[in-house]
Amino acid sequence: MDNLSGKPVLVVGLGASGLAASELLLKLGARVTAIDAADTPQLQENVLPLVQAGVEIKLGANGHVSGEFALAVVSPGVPLDQPLIENLRVQEVPLIGELELGWRNALCLSVGITGTNGKTTTTELVADLLRHSQRQTEAAGNIGTPVCKVVPHTRQLDVLTLEVSSFQLDTIDQFRPAVSVLTNLTPDHLNRYDSMENYIQSKARIFMNQRPFDWAVVQARALEQLRELGLEPPCKVTTFSADNDDADLFLDRSLMVSRMPGWAGPLLDLEDCRLKGAHNAENLMAAMATGRVLGLTLEDMREALTGYEAQPHRCELVAEVDGVKFYNDSKATNIDALRRALEAMPEGPDGAKNIWLIAGGQDKEMHFHDAGPALSSRVREALLIGEASDKIRSAWSLFTTCTPVQTLADCVAVTRRKANPGDVVLLSPACASFDMFENYQARGDAFRALVMEQGENSASATYQQQVDKS
């Protein structure tokens, strides 16, 4: 734990992470200045408790900030190439992220989980395993609760279960989980990284402070990608894979099998789980391997994993209306997530194309043509919305029929007219949501509400009701 009492600290960015960092810094006795480039009525309301607590707030701030600082804490949403950050580096102000600040002040072991896709589900699975085994934990980080927010509770915890994004890893220094998990590596956030290699290097930072007695749980293909760049984890490694039976944990038809010494044999049958699809088999294997490292029993893990239900916005079955199933996969914001969703959807009669895909939104510099083979085999028509619709149409029109549509409501209306019993309507955007919605949760909620409205007008509708925990 750093001694920040009486020291001037700058917080950059006043979203949830920045607010939590400011609150923790106050508890540590720091003199806090917090800034944000925005200056909205909502932000003014959000920072009012900090103002009352003595934090100096500067909204609408860009470029240079006057004053000398012992430390700067940067929120993950703040790009690191902006002039303000460069100015801080020139002044040699130590710069860390909210994750780093929270971890330094936590009083328990931590598990860090990253990857392009599946990290949220795996984080939830690991947290469920721990709770089911009577271990005290909280899930925090990129999953939604800032790490700094849970620091006061960590004295009572056995393990802090952290979902970690590449943006958060860009601003770590000492962060060192006892167990690091890497779910997979596929293209994402290429609007922020110069290349796939740079993106992988960012993800690999989760291992950089680990010691030989720590553990890394890594998808087999992701480990190959790390090794190609000379980024071997410096600790003990366990691998898992749904398509490589040389991995320590692998998928044999529906069985998840281990070849680990002292833990060899079938572990879990995917058919017994509520999670479906090869991608979820990998999430389950990653969680089991982590549980093994943490000393959990296989019996306890089986009980927890077979009872776990997919969370909202992740291939969530919203309703079946007149024989058509509507799935909300709003969290799919890249091509690999879209492909995994297509693979997980129920097949049509005799393997016929039966998916009406709703995609589009804000582009993250994705290579949309990479989805071509999956589209050509499963998708009857793609309904495209948002800023990236023209780019997606150019990439996908050779593989399936593409129709630009103005709104999400129009998409649902079109599919209600065109889809037949046995078809699937899938919202899996392969894009960020910020051009049309506040976040992916708001996009998924809007889709769910539209489907429910359609179902209310139907004599034949069944619903999958879930509490939104995201």
Side-chain angles (χ1 to χ4, degrees), residues 384-400:
L384 307 178
I385 59 174
E387 293 177 0
S389 60
D390 289 342
K391 180 179 178 181
I392 297 173
R393 186 181 186 185
S394 297
W396 288 359
S397 58
L398 291 176
F399 303 102
T400 191

Side-chain angles (χ1 to χ4, degrees), residues 398-418:
L398 291 176
F399 303 102
T400 191
T401 301
C402 295
T403 304
V405 181
Q406 287 296 313
T407 68
L408 189 57
D410 292 337
C411 291
V412 173
V414 168
T415 59
R416 284 289 289 139
R417 292 196 306 270
K418 291 186 173 183

Side-chain angles (χ1 to χ4, degrees), residues 172-298:
I172 64 168
D173 179 34
Q174 302 170 19
F175 177 65
R176 179 187 148 213
V179 185
S180 291
V181 181
L182 178 58
T183 59
N184 47 65
L185 290 167
T186 60
D188 200 3
H189 300 300
L190 298 182
N191 56 334
R192 182 147 163 173
Y193 295 98
D194 292 337
S195 65
M196 183 63 183
E197 289 76 13
N198 287 345
Y199 174 63
I200 293 174
Q201 289 166 353
S202 178
K203 288 291 190 185
R205 287 171 63 84
I206 196 169
F207 308 116
M208 74 178 192
N209 294 315
Q210 288 195 287
R211 302 292 185 263
F213 48 82
D214 293 324
W215 282 89
V217 176
V218 187
Q219 185 209 44
R221 172 56 187 146
L223 184 58
E224 293 174 2
Q225 293 169 280
L226 293 174
R227 287 172 171 167
E228 289 168 2
L229 296 177
L231 299 171
E232 182 86 24
C235 55
K236 293 178 282 189
V237 177
T238 295
T239 58
F240 61 91
S241 177
D243 55 19
N244 182 349
D245 57 13
D246 289 330
D248 296 318
L249 276 70
F250 60 95
L251 188 64
D252 182 1
R253 289 169 290 185
S254 66
L255 287 178
M256 286 164 262
V257 183
S258 168
R259 57 164 42 89
M260 296 172 62
W263 210 48
L267 302 179
L268 185 66
D269 193 335
L270 189 59
E271 296 294 330
D272 295 333
C273 300
R274 298 180 184 183
L275 292 179
K276 302 300 179 184
H279 64 295
N280 276 320
E282 290 197 335
N283 297 334
L284 291 161
M285 285 187 281
M288 282 190 290
T290 303
R292 171 71 171 172
V293 170
L294 296 174
L296 309 185
T297 68
L298 180 57

Side-chain angles (χ1 to χ4, degrees), residues 68-103:
E68 295 184 357
F69 300 99
L71 180 70
V73 180
V74 182
S75 298
V78 176
L80 299 180
D81 59 355
Q82 63 173 263
L84 171 61
I85 304 301
E86 293 298 328
N87 287 336
L88 292 171
R89 286 175 170 152
V90 168
Q91 297 171 45
E92 298 184 344
V93 177
L95 191 151
I96 64 173
E98 182 269 335
L99 168 71
E100 175 78 18
L101 177 67
W103 180 85

Side-chain angles (χ1 to χ4, degrees), residues 128-143:
D128 271 14
L129 290 183
L130 288 164
R131 296 185 188 109
H132 194 80
S133 301
Q134 310 306 311
R135 307 282 184 91
Q136 298 301 309
T137 191
E138 288 197 35
N142 193 61
I143 199 168

Side-chain angles (χ1 to χ4, degrees), residues 2 21 52 109 143 167 217 233 242 247 275 279 293 312 332 335 379 429 449 451:
D2 293 335
Q52 295 170 339
L109 291 175
I143 199 168
F167 297 169
V217 176
L275 292 179
H279 64 295
V293 170
I335 298 302
V379 176
V451 173

